[in-house]
Amino acid sequence: METRRTTVRDVRRANRASLLTDLFHGGRQSRQELGDTTALSQASVSNLIGEMIDEGLVEEAGLVGSDGGRPRALLRVAPGYGYVAGADVGETRLLVELYDLAMSRLGVAQFSLGDDGPDPQVTAAKLLEGLAAVIAEAGVERSEVLGFGVGVPGVVDHSTGSAVVHSQTTGWDAVPLGEMLRAGTDVPVFVENGAKTLGQAEMWFGAGRGARHAVIVMVGTGVGAAVVMDGRGYRGAFSNAGEWGHTTLVYDGDVCRCGARGCLEAYIGSETVIARLAAATGQQPDPKLLTRMLAADGALDEPAQAVITQTVGYLGAGIAGLVNLFSPERIVLGGPAGLALGERFLPDIRDAASRNALRHPYSRTRIDLCQLGPDAVAMGAATLPIARLLADGGLPATPGPTTPPSRAAHRRSLSRGRS
């Protein structure tokens, strides 16, 4: 077996990536602070930051006082260096957003996909239409868009080098969404499971920040989870780790949309809960019934409260399974139904989890709510090309003190790695 030697160029790339990641996640910092957090020498920090300032990737953004010396310049990733797009493919609607590198939202496009679930061809066409719309709304050039991340329901298989989506609940069987999108745009495309993109957003900017071991769960029409182990997302051998909604809660129980019986999703998925609420209260099964009912002031009436109490118990039991399996520092509850339940009944959810989890791992786990809202899937998807940029040290590292490569060269680098 051939062993690859680490070169000076590899070290430079890794050091650039370390600095850039610290700036992106930690906000404005001085060169001295970057040296402390990355353990790089001040000379290395100054040289590499100088390169990235010359490339336009990093910029000075204000001054901070120092102990008896000259004020120090604060640095940040340059927001206008490039732009990223992210999309959330739901079962009835599709959302596309455009961000700068400070994650300021610059454009939004939303489409209905109908009540019969997303058709692959229609979905791909709407994604491309949405990408064009948000680029036009923001007034940026297509060549400045570093990548387009797409969060979808189901398993995303990257083993073939593209992105093939398998989703039993929406009827997608080996849909080559990556290829379909690449055929319509030269913007690098990244496709991932929506729960995982939500998880990345919360780990970078929300309730998961600072945790090394966490599970971010998404409860909506579908139910999923993003598992983070030692600071890295866990995908499993075949990309389908995190299908928490299709773990069995009740043996031979209710039929799930996936065709199996007793899945957690069959008990806490929003469609099921809404149907049970409608039957219990005599109301129409409006898709917004659950969130509207939980947002109202005052106590729920007895039939509705009985449904919610049982749902909270099922949710807590499912979270307890995650505690027992992964022993995370933090479990973050999100998704439209998850947030609606958590904002009103988080103490009850924690209590149900504590009753069903082993005492010691539960005592070391914190259960919090997502901080970025129910639509963070698109934001998380937009971070997929940024994650590649960070891993590559921004632009491909130069072999020496030569002219930095162009942004076009970086786009070619992203294209080689896209899915």
Side-chain angles (χ1 to χ4, degrees):
M1 178 176 167
E2 184 178 348
T3 302
R4 184 180 181 276
R5 295 177 58 190
T6 301
T7 66
V8 172
R9 184 172 182 175
D10 293 332
V11 173
R12 287 173 65 83
R13 185 186 299 272
N15 290 344
R16 285 166 58 98
S18 180
L19 290 168
L20 194 58
T21 300
D22 257 33
L23 281 174
F24 193 84
H25 291 171
R28 302 181 187 198
Q29 297 176 68
S30 68
R31 289 169 176 82
Q32 182 171 342
E33 289 171 319
L34 288 169
D36 293 340
T37 56
T38 61
L40 294 175
S41 70
Q42 285 300 312
S44 293
V45 171
S46 294
N47 288 336
L48 294 171
I49 288 295
E51 281 184 7
M52 290 190 280
I53 288 176
D54 290 342
E55 294 163 8
L57 180 55
V58 171
E59 65 183 18
E60 294 188 350
L63 299 171
V64 63
S66 60
D67 296 334
R70 296 174 58 190
R72 295 174 184 151
L74 291 174
L75 305 160
R76 68 174 180 178
V77 176
Y81 170 78
Y83 305 90
V84 288
D88 175 5
V89 178
E91 299 193 14
T92 59
R93 60 121 203 189
L94 183 153
L95 175 70
V96 182
E97 299 177 335
L98 188 80
Y99 295 85
D100 64 18
L101 293 190
M103 297 312 293
S104 298
R105 187 183 291 109
L106 305 178
V108 180
Q110 186 165 300
F111 304 91
S112 171
L113 294 174
D115 297 328
D116 298 326
D119 175 82
Q121 296 291 340
V122 171
T123 298
K126 293 295 185 185
L127 283 167
L128 294 171
E129 182 181 347
L131 176 62
V134 295
I135 290 172
E137 180 183 348
V140 304
E141 297 294 328
R142 181 180 293 267
S143 61
E144 295 179 292
V145 180
L146 301 173
F148 182 27
V150 180
V152 296
V155 175
V156 182
D157 182 2
H158 296 278
S159 62
T160 62
S162 184
V164 178
V165 183
H166 305 264
S167 176
Q168 289 175 225
T169 56
T170 58
W172 284 24
D173 184 14
V175 172
L177 185 62
E179 289 184 5
M180 294 165 70
L181 294 174
R182 283 203 305 271
T185 183
D186 59 351
V187 175
V189 173
F190 303 78
V191 181
E192 185 54 277
N193 169 268
K196 290 183 172 65
T197 70
L198 170 70
Q200 184 153 298
E202 288 291 337
M203 289 300 295
W204 284 21
F205 310 115
R209 285 186 83 168
R212 298 289 297 170
H213 298 268
V215 183
I216 292 83
V217 301
M218 184 170 72
V219 182
T221 304
V223 176
V227 180
V228 178
M229 303 174 67
D230 199 23
R232 298 176 63 87
Y234 179 69
R235 300 182 56 82
F238 303 105
S239 301
N240 64 323
E243 288 295 325
W244 176 56
H246 300 289
T247 55
T248 302
L249 181 68
V250 179
Y251 173 70
D252 204 27
D254 293 349
V255 176
C256 179
R257 297 184 307 154
C258 73
R261 284 186 173 272
C263 294
L264 179 64
E265 185 175 300
Y267 294 88
I268 67 170
S270 60
E271 280 188 354
T272 297
V273 178
I274 288 168
R276 292 173 60 221
L277 280 172
T281 62
Q283 300 186 46
Q284 290 296 315
D286 179 344
K288 296 182 186 270
L289 177 61
L290 174 62
T291 53
R292 186 174 67 246
M293 195 171 284
L294 293 180
D297 293 332
L300 298 172
D301 60 31
E302 188 174 338
Q305 184 61 58
V307 171
I308 295 301
T309 297
Q310 191 175 47
T311 303
V312 164
Y314 287 139
L315 175 55
I319 288 173
L322 296 173
V323 172
N324 293 343
L325 279 172
F326 298 109
S327 189
E329 302 162 62
R330 211 169 299 171
I331 291 177
V332 180
L333 174 60
L339 282 174
L341 289 164
E343 285 167 356
R344 187 155 177 176
F345 295 103
L346 186 58
D348 303 278
I349 294 167
R350 288 170 173 157
D351 183 60
S354 72
R355 295 196 309 270
N356 290 277
L358 293 169
R359 286 192 301 272
H360 183 65
Y362 179 79
S363 71
R364 302 172 71 101
T365 298
R366 198 170 88 199
I367 301 173
D368 293 329
L369 294 182
C370 284
Q371 295 177 350
L372 302 177
D375 292 328
V377 171
M379 174 186 280
T383 68
L384 297 176
I386 293 175
R388 177 60 54 79
L389 181 146
L390 295 176
D392 289 346
L395 294 169
T398 57
T402 59
T403 303
S406 66
R407 187 175 304 179
H410 178 58
R411 285 173 52 78
R412 289 194 293 273
S413 173
L414 280 176
S415 298
R416 287 194 292 272
R418 67 187 177 182
S419 57

